[in-house]
Amino acid sequence: MRLEVEITGKTYRSAAGETHEVLAPLKFALQSGEIGVLIGPSGCGKSTMLRIILGLDRDFAGHVARPPKARIGMVFQEPRLLPWRSVEQNVRLAAPDASDAKLAELFRILELDAHRSHYPGELSLGLARRVALARAFAVEPDLLVLDEPLASLDDALARRLRDEIATLVASRSVMTLLVTHSLDDAIRLGDRLFFLSPRPARIVQEVPISIPRAERSEAELAGIRVGLASPPLESK
Ligand SMILES: Nc1ncnc2c1ncn2[C@@H]1O[C@H](COP(=O)(O)OP(=O)(O)OP(=O)(O)O)[C@@H](O)[C@H]1O
Ligand SMILES: [Mg+2]
């Protein structure tokens, strides 16, 4: 399976009638089992790009080839849960075929056991994000799209979930596109990092990381970090 993205342009028209160019021409592809990471300044167009890639926004110039019949798991930047459904119902609605055992495992991993019958209005943002992750994982996706999924989680939980994402990708050859502002998450998870310019986003640099995820030692990660440290690659 392969995802091919070739966007030649995307503009938004403001309420006042002005047009804003959000995406410049950009092109990349992802293979099964690969994690591509998008890193770029706030407002550069990352979420816009994800919506286009998912087919939720068709108002752009270019072409996106998604694998046919791919099951898609998506974590939006805001958790977007149905407020009138419980945590468990939110996940089951998205993944009606998921077994009870599979859901139980996900709720355990994401530490949501105590919250299954709670409603989204009763959750903290970090809890709601975990529910959104459970929902995306429950569909057993072929294409997983994650828009800053680890924001507002404490360090320990974010580290664990990062490892869970890596495990999921390894177990099912999931093709993953991850947006993050964390260089650390990017180099621990990514196979290919795409550094984006300020709006309109274009790919300033594509950095492949050839060491398999599971084999990246702290020393090697430090080396990768040093290699990326020189401007203009720092996105923060
Ligand atoms: N529906 C819309 N109508 C008009 N402009 C929009 C719309 N959605 C986004 N924009 C504008 O497009 C630009 C890119 O927005 P986008 O949400 O894609 O950025 P982002 O890279 O995801 O930022 P962040 O890191 O803060 O999430 C911004 O300038 C934003 O104001
Ligand atoms: Mg965004």
Side-chain angles (χ1 to χ4, degrees), residues 206-234:
E206 179 175 335
V207 180
I209 300 182
S210 52
I211 307 166
R213 235 182 314 285
E215 294 165 23
R216 289 175 202 168
S217 67
E218 290 302 321
E220 279 158 340
L221 288 166
I224 296 169
R225 219 174 271 121
V226 168
L228 293 173
S230 52
L233 291 183
E234 274 288 4

Side-chain angles (χ1 to χ4, degrees), residues 12 22 41-48 51 77 148 181 199:
Y12 279 122
V22 184
S42 182
C44 77
K46 303 179 294 297
S47 297
T48 300
R51 279 195 297 274
Q77 202 164 0
E148 300 191 44
H181 287 284
R199 184 173 72 91

Side-chain angles (χ1 to χ4, degrees), residues 2-6 28-30 63-67:
R2 195 172 148 87
L3 170 75
E4 290 177 19
V5 179
E6 183 165 10
F28 66 89
L30 269 189
H63 183 66
V64 174
R66 277 180 302 277

Side-chain angles (χ1 to χ4, degrees), residues 39-56:
I39 305 170
S42 182
C44 77
K46 303 179 294 297
S47 297
T48 300
M49 200 194 302
L50 295 187
R51 279 195 297 274
I52 288 173
I53 289 169
L54 289 168
L56 300 175

